[in-house]
Amino acid sequence: MAKSTFPRRTVLTALAGAGAAALVGCEPARRPPTAIPDPLLVDLDGGVGLLRGTDRETIPHAVAAPDGRVVHATASEGADTACWRLDVSTGHTSQHVTLPGRWVPQTVSTDGSLVALTPDAVSVTAARPGPRDVTPVLVVDSDGIRHRLRLPGNVVPEAFTDDRSGLFVLEWLPPHAPDRYRVRVVDLATGTAAALSTRDKRPVPAGAEEEMRGDGRQAVLAPNRTILYTLYTHQPDHQHTRDLVSGRPGDVHAFVHTLHLGGRWAYCIDLPHPFGEGPANGHAMALSPDGSRLLVTDVTSGAVAEISTEELTVRRTATLAGGTGPAYAVADRDRLIVGAGRTLRVVDLAGLRVAAERPVRDPVTGLLRGPGGARLYVGQDAAVSWHDPTTAEEVGRAAVPGLAGLCAPAVPA
């Protein structure tokens, strides 16, 4: 295996008219790209983008670790696939690992060491897989293939257990015409899938596993990397495991699925009306930096809910002015910042009230809290802007052609 660099590198530059042709030719002068203060990982039309200063790099098939430190990438190599790992803070790449056949990265372990790959990429929150009876999965690290799996059914890898011995997957049902799914955990040593435990660590009885039909809107990993929170909306006649066990009817429109990566248990936190009634993309959630509070918002209705992550209950709610468009949210110790349409809104967490509101140039396509919380990054049309997190006032802007959304800071916040 030989040391490698990116198989494809794209430098994205912003072109601006100089108002007059250069004296030495007929082409207008090019304005140099604006430096972005912090390294960022973004979604581009061509893949994952790494933005550092004035440098713009595109990695066509890649997935990042939750903290943004590591990216695992693949590229075709004849009939096979080359797989490697990138340390985004240093730019160092690992040696290529050659994988037989075609593979794309699906999810990365929380420590960044392992990646699960499937033949086709499927988002766990934005799409459903095509029909299939068996799902091949490879688990790879920088030294090579660690596990070769052929999992019965139609599954999509979601996350690794915190000890890296198991893989949580979404099992889609029925396999040839999937319209619902359940979360299961696969033992990597045996390839055997099993149901999750309940919150009190009891095995789920046969027939009592939750099957979800709605939209998985967004997933957020706790700062301690042990719990994955996923926001679900539009669950017609959904019943939680606790309802199936007790025989109570279910009538849930939105909830937060809480998956413990160490204990291998799951619990759902119901969200009150009107959550789940409006468009799925109008919902967003964010964790406080210490992980103690999970904030969920529905910009269509203006509803905001604060969840205690220790008690796994909704602690309080508020109703703000409604809005339109896909919603995005970030939080710090004292405030929740929500972006939707052409509006940024700063919500004071002490009273769950709007403390500041500011228009932006283009519709918001993502929000990120910069390292240390000093800056708020906003994805817009072919650009990233950065703002004062207290007032939401724009401080700077850089062109990023092909920008589709924001992933994560390339260094921990």
PDB file of all heavy atoms in Angstrom, residues 197-226:
ATOM      1  N   SER A 197     -32.097  -2.887  23.895  1.00  0.00           N
ATOM      2  CA  SER A 197     -32.706  -3.016  25.218  1.00  0.00           C
ATOM      3  C   SER A 197     -33.583  -1.799  25.496  1.00  0.00           C
ATOM      4  O   SER A 197     -33.516  -0.782  24.799  1.00  0.00           O
ATOM      5  CB  SER A 197     -31.626  -3.125  26.291  1.00  0.00           C
ATOM      6  OG  SER A 197     -30.806  -4.258  26.086  1.00  0.00           O
ATOM      7  N   THR A 198     -34.411  -1.897  26.534  1.00  0.00           N
ATOM      8  CA  THR A 198     -35.179  -0.749  26.992  1.00  0.00           C
ATOM      9  C   THR A 198     -34.283   0.128  27.851  1.00  0.00           C
ATOM     10  O   THR A 198     -33.149  -0.232  28.182  1.00  0.00           O
ATOM     11  CB  THR A 198     -36.395  -1.204  27.812  1.00  0.00           C
ATOM     12  OG1 THR A 198     -35.936  -1.925  28.969  1.00  0.00           O
ATOM     13  CG2 THR A 198     -37.286  -2.120  26.989  1.00  0.00           C
ATOM     14  N   ARG A 199     -34.810   1.296  28.241  1.00  0.00           N
ATOM     15  CA  ARG A 199     -34.017   2.237  29.033  1.00  0.00           C
ATOM     16  C   ARG A 199     -33.545   1.626  30.349  1.00  0.00           C
ATOM     17  O   ARG A 199     -32.460   1.954  30.836  1.00  0.00           O
ATOM     18  CB  ARG A 199     -34.855   3.493  29.300  1.00  0.00           C
ATOM     19  CG  ARG A 199     -34.118   4.598  30.024  1.00  0.00           C
ATOM     20  CD  ARG A 199     -35.052   5.752  30.303  1.00  0.00           C
ATOM     21  NE  ARG A 199     -34.406   6.814  31.043  1.00  0.00           N
ATOM     22  CZ  ARG A 199     -35.047   7.871  31.525  1.00  0.00           C
ATOM     23  NH1 ARG A 199     -36.346   8.004  31.322  1.00  0.00           N
ATOM     24  NH2 ARG A 199     -34.391   8.807  32.196  1.00  0.00           N
ATOM     25  N   ASP A 200     -34.341   0.730  30.926  1.00  0.00           N
ATOM     26  CA  ASP A 200     -33.927   0.066  32.163  1.00  0.00           C
ATOM     27  C   ASP A 200     -33.138  -1.213  31.890  1.00  0.00           C
ATOM     28  O   ASP A 200     -32.994  -2.075  32.763  1.00  0.00           O
ATOM     29  CB  ASP A 200     -35.128  -0.230  33.070  1.00  0.00           C
ATOM     30  CG  ASP A 200     -36.186  -1.078  32.366  1.00  0.00           C
ATOM     31  OD1 ASP A 200     -35.928  -1.533  31.223  1.00  0.00           O
ATOM     32  OD2 ASP A 200     -37.258  -1.289  32.952  1.00  0.00           O
ATOM     33  N   LYS A 201     -32.621  -1.332  30.637  1.00  0.00           N
ATOM     34  CA  LYS A 201     -31.693  -2.386  30.230  1.00  0.00           C
ATOM     35  C   LYS A 201     -32.334  -3.774  30.188  1.00  0.00           C
ATOM     36  O   LYS A 201     -31.642  -4.789  30.294  1.00  0.00           O
ATOM     37  CB  LYS A 201     -30.451  -2.394  31.127  1.00  0.00           C
ATOM     38  CG  LYS A 201     -29.691  -1.074  31.093  1.00  0.00           C
ATOM     39  CD  LYS A 201     -28.457  -1.095  31.971  1.00  0.00           C
ATOM     40  CE  LYS A 201     -27.750   0.257  31.917  1.00  0.00           C
ATOM     41  NZ  LYS A 201     -26.545   0.281  32.765  1.00  0.00           N
ATOM     42  N   ARG A 202     -33.636  -3.816  30.000  1.00  0.00           N
ATOM     43  CA  ARG A 202     -34.310  -5.093  29.837  1.00  0.00           C
ATOM     44  C   ARG A 202     -34.434  -5.429  28.356  1.00  0.00           C
ATOM     45  O   ARG A 202     -34.615  -4.530  27.535  1.00  0.00           O
ATOM     46  CB  ARG A 202     -35.709  -5.052  30.469  1.00  0.00           C
ATOM     47  CG  ARG A 202     -35.695  -4.849  31.977  1.00  0.00           C
ATOM     48  CD  ARG A 202     -37.121  -4.808  32.510  1.00  0.00           C
ATOM     49  NE  ARG A 202     -37.151  -4.562  33.936  1.00  0.00           N
ATOM     50  CZ  ARG A 202     -38.260  -4.443  34.650  1.00  0.00           C
ATOM     51  NH1 ARG A 202     -39.452  -4.544  34.038  1.00  0.00           N
ATOM     52  NH2 ARG A 202     -38.202  -4.224  35.946  1.00  0.00           N
ATOM     53  N   PRO A 203     -34.340  -6.711  27.991  1.00  0.00           N
ATOM     54  CA  PRO A 203     -34.508  -7.092  26.582  1.00  0.00           C
ATOM     55  C   PRO A 203     -35.909  -6.732  26.099  1.00  0.00           C
ATOM     56  O   PRO A 203     -36.894  -6.842  26.832  1.00  0.00           O
ATOM     57  CB  PRO A 203     -34.304  -8.607  26.597  1.00  0.00           C
ATOM     58  CG  PRO A 203     -33.547  -8.892  27.861  1.00  0.00           C
ATOM     59  CD  PRO A 203     -34.004  -7.864  28.848  1.00  0.00           C
ATOM     60  N   VAL A 204     -36.008  -6.288  24.849  1.00  0.00           N
ATOM     61  CA  VAL A 204     -37.306  -5.976  24.264  1.00  0.00           C
ATOM     62  C   VAL A 204     -37.990  -7.287  23.877  1.00  0.00           C
ATOM     63  O   VAL A 204     -37.409  -8.109  23.161  1.00  0.00           O
ATOM     64  CB  VAL A 204     -37.151  -5.078  23.028  1.00  0.00           C
ATOM     65  CG1 VAL A 204     -38.498  -4.877  22.334  1.00  0.00           C
ATOM     66  CG2 VAL A 204     -36.543  -3.743  23.425  1.00  0.00           C
ATOM     67  N   PRO A 205     -39.226  -7.531  24.337  1.00  0.00           N
ATOM     68  CA  PRO A 205     -39.925  -8.772  23.974  1.00  0.00           C
ATOM     69  C   PRO A 205     -40.129  -8.888  22.474  1.00  0.00           C
ATOM     70  O   PRO A 205     -40.207  -7.886  21.757  1.00  0.00           O
ATOM     71  CB  PRO A 205     -41.268  -8.648  24.717  1.00  0.00           C
ATOM     72  CG  PRO A 205     -41.041  -7.622  25.781  1.00  0.00           C
ATOM     73  CD  PRO A 205     -40.016  -6.683  25.243  1.00  0.00           C
ATOM     74  N   ALA A 206     -40.209 -10.105  21.978  1.00  0.00           N
ATOM     75  CA  ALA A 206     -40.464 -10.346  20.554  1.00  0.00           C
ATOM     76  C   ALA A 206     -41.756  -9.644  20.141  1.00  0.00           C
ATOM     77  O   ALA A 206     -42.774  -9.714  20.848  1.00  0.00           O
ATOM     78  CB  ALA A 206     -40.569 -11.843  20.288  1.00  0.00           C
ATOM     79  N   GLY A 207     -41.714  -8.961  19.011  1.00  0.00           N
ATOM     80  CA  GLY A 207     -42.883  -8.256  18.500  1.00  0.00           C
ATOM     81  C   GLY A 207     -43.089  -6.875  19.067  1.00  0.00           C
ATOM     82  O   GLY A 207     -44.044  -6.196  18.697  1.00  0.00           O
ATOM     83  N   ALA A 208     -42.185  -6.438  19.978  1.00  0.00           N
ATOM     84  CA  ALA A 208     -42.355  -5.133  20.619  1.00  0.00           C
ATOM     85  C   ALA A 208     -41.312  -4.113  20.175  1.00  0.00           C
ATOM     86  O   ALA A 208     -41.183  -3.059  20.792  1.00  0.00           O
ATOM     87  CB  ALA A 208     -42.300  -5.288  22.144  1.00  0.00           C
ATOM     88  N   GLU A 209     -40.585  -4.410  19.102  1.00  0.00           N
ATOM     89  CA  GLU A 209     -39.633  -3.438  18.581  1.00  0.00           C
ATOM     90  C   GLU A 209     -40.375  -2.344  17.823  1.00  0.00           C
ATOM     91  O   GLU A 209     -41.297  -2.616  17.060  1.00  0.00           O
ATOM     92  CB  GLU A 209     -38.633  -4.111  17.646  1.00  0.00           C
ATOM     93  CG  GLU A 209     -37.661  -5.048  18.340  1.00  0.00           C
ATOM     94  CD  GLU A 209     -36.690  -5.651  17.343  1.00  0.00           C
ATOM     95  OE1 GLU A 209     -35.783  -4.926  16.895  1.00  0.00           O
ATOM     96  OE2 GLU A 209     -36.851  -6.846  17.000  1.00  0.00           O
ATOM     97  N   GLU A 210     -39.963  -1.094  18.026  1.00  0.00           N
ATOM     98  CA  GLU A 210     -40.585   0.018  17.329  1.00  0.00           C
ATOM     99  C   GLU A 210     -40.275  -0.030  15.838  1.00  0.00           C
ATOM    100  O   GLU A 210     -39.151  -0.297  15.446  1.00  0.00           O
ATOM    101  CB  GLU A 210     -40.071   1.342  17.901  1.00  0.00           C
ATOM    102  CG  GLU A 210     -40.505   1.604  19.323  1.00  0.00           C
ATOM    103  CD  GLU A 210     -39.963   2.932  19.813  1.00  0.00           C
ATOM    104  OE1 GLU A 210     -40.098   3.932  19.084  1.00  0.00           O
ATOM    105  OE2 GLU A 210     -39.418   2.968  20.921  1.00  0.00           O
ATOM    106  N   GLU A 211     -41.285   0.238  15.042  1.00  0.00           N
ATOM    107  CA  GLU A 211     -41.105   0.356  13.601  1.00  0.00           C
ATOM    108  C   GLU A 211     -41.529   1.760  13.200  1.00  0.00           C
ATOM    109  O   GLU A 211     -42.669   2.160  13.420  1.00  0.00           O
ATOM    110  CB  GLU A 211     -41.924  -0.711  12.868  1.00  0.00           C
ATOM    111  CG  GLU A 211     -41.439  -2.128  13.162  1.00  0.00           C
ATOM    112  CD  GLU A 211     -42.218  -3.188  12.404  1.00  0.00           C
ATOM    113  OE1 GLU A 211     -43.157  -2.817  11.664  1.00  0.00           O
ATOM    114  OE2 GLU A 211     -41.901  -4.372  12.560  1.00  0.00           O
ATOM    115  N   MET A 212     -40.602   2.507  12.624  1.00  0.00           N
ATOM    116  CA  MET A 212     -40.818   3.923  12.336  1.00  0.00           C
ATOM    117  C   MET A 212     -41.133   4.132  10.849  1.00  0.00           C
ATOM    118  O   MET A 212     -40.473   3.564   9.989  1.00  0.00           O
ATOM    119  CB  MET A 212     -39.594   4.726  12.760  1.00  0.00           C
ATOM    120  CG  MET A 212     -39.482   4.827  14.273  1.00  0.00           C
ATOM    121  SD  MET A 212     -37.856   5.360  14.878  1.00  0.00           S
ATOM    122  CE  MET A 212     -37.021   3.776  14.998  1.00  0.00           C
ATOM    123  N   ARG A 213     -42.138   4.938  10.592  1.00  0.00           N
ATOM    124  CA  ARG A 213     -42.576   5.205   9.225  1.00  0.00           C
ATOM    125  C   ARG A 213     -42.331   6.651   8.807  1.00  0.00           C
ATOM    126  O   ARG A 213     -42.504   6.988   7.651  1.00  0.00           O
ATOM    127  CB  ARG A 213     -44.081   4.912   9.082  1.00  0.00           C
ATOM    128  CG  ARG A 213     -44.450   3.462   9.280  1.00  0.00           C
ATOM    129  CD  ARG A 213     -45.961   3.287   9.178  1.00  0.00           C
ATOM    130  NE  ARG A 213     -46.356   1.900   9.410  1.00  0.00           N
ATOM    131  CZ  ARG A 213     -46.490   0.998   8.450  1.00  0.00           C
ATOM    132  NH1 ARG A 213     -46.263   1.347   7.186  1.00  0.00           N
ATOM    133  NH2 ARG A 213     -46.841  -0.239   8.719  1.00  0.00           N
ATOM    134  N   GLY A 214     -42.001   7.498   9.727  1.00  0.00           N
ATOM    135  CA  GLY A 214     -41.908   8.922   9.423  1.00  0.00           C
ATOM    136  C   GLY A 214     -40.542   9.346   8.931  1.00  0.00           C
ATOM    137  O   GLY A 214     -39.766   8.564   8.387  1.00  0.00           O
ATOM    138  N   ASP A 215     -40.270  10.627   9.112  1.00  0.00           N
ATOM    139  CA  ASP A 215     -39.054  11.242   8.597  1.00  0.00           C
ATOM    140  C   ASP A 215     -38.032  11.420   9.715  1.00  0.00           C
ATOM    141  O   ASP A 215     -38.320  12.062  10.727  1.00  0.00           O
ATOM    142  CB  ASP A 215     -39.373  12.620   7.999  1.00  0.00           C
ATOM    143  CG  ASP A 215     -40.394  12.530   6.882  1.00  0.00           C
ATOM    144  OD1 ASP A 215     -40.200  11.681   5.995  1.00  0.00           O
ATOM    145  OD2 ASP A 215     -41.384  13.284   6.907  1.00  0.00           O
ATOM    146  N   GLY A 216     -36.841  10.845   9.508  1.00  0.00           N
ATOM    147  CA  GLY A 216     -35.729  11.135  10.400  1.00  0.00           C
ATOM    148  C   GLY A 216     -35.108  12.440   9.971  1.00  0.00           C
ATOM    149  O   GLY A 216     -34.434  12.516   8.944  1.00  0.00           O
ATOM    150  N   ARG A 217     -35.349  13.501  10.712  1.00  0.00           N
ATOM    151  CA  ARG A 217     -34.968  14.846  10.270  1.00  0.00           C
ATOM    152  C   ARG A 217     -33.493  15.161  10.530  1.00  0.00           C
ATOM    153  O   ARG A 217     -32.809  15.687   9.676  1.00  0.00           O
ATOM    154  CB  ARG A 217     -35.862  15.878  10.976  1.00  0.00           C
ATOM    155  CG  ARG A 217     -35.419  17.318  10.906  1.00  0.00           C
ATOM    156  CD  ARG A 217     -35.302  17.837   9.500  1.00  0.00           C
ATOM    157  NE  ARG A 217     -34.885  19.247   9.499  1.00  0.00           N
ATOM    158  CZ  ARG A 217     -34.245  19.815   8.508  1.00  0.00           C
ATOM    159  NH1 ARG A 217     -33.929  19.139   7.423  1.00  0.00           N
ATOM    160  NH2 ARG A 217     -33.905  21.094   8.578  1.00  0.00           N
ATOM    161  N   GLN A 218     -32.971  14.815  11.727  1.00  0.00           N
ATOM    162  CA  GLN A 218     -31.633  15.272  12.096  1.00  0.00           C
ATOM    163  C   GLN A 218     -31.101  14.403  13.227  1.00  0.00           C
ATOM    164  O   GLN A 218     -31.858  13.974  14.101  1.00  0.00           O
ATOM    165  CB  GLN A 218     -31.699  16.733  12.542  1.00  0.00           C
ATOM    166  CG  GLN A 218     -30.374  17.339  12.972  1.00  0.00           C
ATOM    167  CD  GLN A 218     -30.557  18.717  13.584  1.00  0.00           C
ATOM    168  OE1 GLN A 218     -31.675  19.205  13.736  1.00  0.00           O
ATOM    169  NE2 GLN A 218     -29.458  19.337  13.970  1.00  0.00           N
ATOM    170  N   ALA A 219     -29.792  14.131  13.223  1.00  0.00           N
ATOM    171  CA  ALA A 219     -29.149  13.383  14.297  1.00  0.00           C
ATOM    172  C   ALA A 219     -28.059  14.240  14.920  1.00  0.00           C
ATOM    173  O   ALA A 219     -27.317  14.935  14.225  1.00  0.00           O
ATOM    174  CB  ALA A 219     -28.561  12.074  13.774  1.00  0.00           C
ATOM    175  N   VAL A 220     -27.943  14.191  16.254  1.00  0.00           N
ATOM    176  CA  VAL A 220     -26.948  14.967  16.993  1.00  0.00           C
ATOM    177  C   VAL A 220     -26.295  14.048  18.021  1.00  0.00           C
ATOM    178  O   VAL A 220     -26.989  13.349  18.773  1.00  0.00           O
ATOM    179  CB  VAL A 220     -27.587  16.180  17.705  1.00  0.00           C
ATOM    180  CG1 VAL A 220     -26.552  16.928  18.525  1.00  0.00           C
ATOM    181  CG2 VAL A 220     -28.237  17.118  16.701  1.00  0.00           C
ATOM    182  N   LEU A 221     -24.957  14.042  18.079  1.00  0.00           N
ATOM    183  CA  LEU A 221     -24.222  13.225  19.038  1.00  0.00           C
ATOM    184  C   LEU A 221     -23.900  14.046  20.273  1.00  0.00           C
ATOM    185  O   LEU A 221     -23.486  15.211  20.180  1.00  0.00           O
ATOM    186  CB  LEU A 221     -22.923  12.709  18.408  1.00  0.00           C
ATOM    187  CG  LEU A 221     -22.100  11.737  19.253  1.00  0.00           C
ATOM    188  CD1 LEU A 221     -22.820  10.398  19.394  1.00  0.00           C
ATOM    189  CD2 LEU A 221     -20.718  11.539  18.628  1.00  0.00           C
ATOM    190  N   ALA A 222     -24.096  13.446  21.457  1.00  0.00           N
ATOM    191  CA  ALA A 222     -23.792  14.125  22.712  1.00  0.00           C
ATOM    192  C   ALA A 222     -22.300  14.445  22.805  1.00  0.00           C
ATOM    193  O   ALA A 222     -21.469  13.733  22.231  1.00  0.00           O
ATOM    194  CB  ALA A 222     -24.214  13.251  23.894  1.00  0.00           C
ATOM    195  N   PRO A 223     -21.924  15.512  23.534  1.00  0.00           N
ATOM    196  CA  PRO A 223     -20.509  15.868  23.663  1.00  0.00           C
ATOM    197  C   PRO A 223     -19.640  14.748  24.225  1.00  0.00           C
ATOM    198  O   PRO A 223     -18.459  14.641  23.878  1.00  0.00           O
ATOM    199  CB  PRO A 223     -20.538  17.071  24.608  1.00  0.00           C
ATOM    200  CG  PRO A 223     -21.894  17.671  24.420  1.00  0.00           C
ATOM    201  CD  PRO A 223     -22.802  16.495  24.181  1.00  0.00           C
ATOM    202  N   ASN A 224     -20.213  13.885  25.079  1.00  0.00           N
ATOM    203  CA  ASN A 224     -19.422  12.776  25.632  1.00  0.00           C
ATOM    204  C   ASN A 224     -19.383  11.562  24.710  1.00  0.00           C
ATOM    205  O   ASN A 224     -18.816  10.529  25.049  1.00  0.00           O
ATOM    206  CB  ASN A 224     -19.945  12.367  27.007  1.00  0.00           C
ATOM    207  CG  ASN A 224     -21.368  11.827  26.973  1.00  0.00           C
ATOM    208  OD1 ASN A 224     -21.943  11.610  25.902  1.00  0.00           O
ATOM    209  ND2 ASN A 224     -21.946  11.614  28.142  1.00  0.00           N
ATOM    210  N   ARG A 225     -20.009  11.673  23.525  1.00  0.00           N
ATOM    211  CA  ARG A 225     -19.978  10.670  22.463  1.00  0.00           C
ATOM    212  C   ARG A 225     -20.674   9.356  22.829  1.00  0.00           C
ATOM    213  O   ARG A 225     -20.438   8.334  22.188  1.00  0.00           O
ATOM    214  CB  ARG A 225     -18.531  10.362  22.043  1.00  0.00           C
ATOM    215  CG  ARG A 225     -17.727  11.553  21.593  1.00  0.00           C
ATOM    216  CD  ARG A 225     -16.332  11.108  21.152  1.00  0.00           C
ATOM    217  NE  ARG A 225     -15.509  12.245  20.763  1.00  0.00           N
ATOM    218  CZ  ARG A 225     -14.280  12.135  20.295  1.00  0.00           C
ATOM    219  NH1 ARG A 225     -13.730  10.935  20.159  1.00  0.00           N
ATOM    220  NH2 ARG A 225     -13.582  13.202  19.955  1.00  0.00           N
ATOM    221  N   THR A 226     -21.524   9.351  23.814  1.00  0.00           N
ATOM    222  CA  THR A 226     -22.163   8.105  24.228  1.00  0.00           C
ATOM    223  C   THR A 226     -23.630   8.016  23.823  1.00  0.00           C
ATOM    224  O   THR A 226     -24.204   6.924  23.883  1.00  0.00           O
ATOM    225  CB  THR A 226     -22.074   7.913  25.750  1.00  0.00           C
ATOM    226  OG1 THR A 226     -22.758   8.982  26.409  1.00  0.00           O
ATOM    227  CG2 THR A 226     -20.623   7.879  26.210  1.00  0.00           C
TER     228      THR A 226
END
